[in-house]
Amino acid sequence: MEKKIINTGNAPSPIGPYSQAVAAGNFLFLSGQVCFDPATGQLNNADIPTETHQVMHNLKAVLQEAGFSFANVVKTTIFLSDMAYFGEVNEVYGKYFEGDFPARETVAVKTLPRNVNVEISMIAAK
């Protein structure tokens, strides 16, 4: 199966040896995004809702670059620095989907890159 690397300047550049996304067949595998603002290169983490919106905007940019949208998302993984943020993240996250929600798990982890509080990865399909 052929794979295609997806990168866009409308989302933060990877901070390691990975791609923003990889398309393979009818699937798009999006790497985890955190709250870097691609315009400034700075973290946009004034509070949990702001941080989560930035993460979702970054994911949207990668989806759009590949010709996908949130309607194509079939699976997400949410990583939190503290499960106490679950409610706030869930409220923001839910606003980006209409109708059927993707499958999902949410886990708390000890530390995330650059000490952010939220990281989300996705799998989309056409």
Side-chain angles (χ1 to χ4, degrees), residues 3-118:
K3 69 178 185 178
K4 179 181 177 187
I5 304 302
I6 307 296
N7 284 303
T8 177
N10 294 323
S13 297
I15 58 174
Y18 60 90
S19 301
Q20 291 172 336
V22 176
N26 293 330
F27 290 94
L28 182 67
F29 301 88
L30 289 83
S31 294
Q33 285 287 331
V34 297
C35 62
F36 280 112
D37 180 334
T40 65
Q42 301 298 309
L43 293 174
N44 187 10
N45 60 349
D47 54 39
I48 297 301
T50 299
E51 187 170 343
T52 306
H53 276 296
Q54 184 65 58
V55 170
M56 296 301 286
H57 287 296
N58 293 344
L59 289 162
K60 181 179 180 180
V62 178
L63 286 165
Q64 288 179 330
E65 181 69 20
F68 287 72
S69 73
F70 285 117
N72 299 109
V73 176
V74 296
K75 175 77 166 62
T76 62
T77 302
I78 300 177
F79 302 94
L80 301 176
S81 64
D82 189 320
M83 203 50 90
Y85 302 137
F86 182 86
E88 289 177 281
V89 171
N90 208 41
E91 185 176 333
V92 172
Y93 167 92
K95 293 177 181 178
Y96 287 83
F97 296 95
E98 296 179 17
D100 298 331
F101 292 100
R104 182 183 99 182
E105 66 268 334
T106 303
V107 296
V109 296
K110 184 177 178 180
T111 308
L112 288 166
R114 308 294 165 108
N115 294 313
V116 299
N117 296 299
V118 181

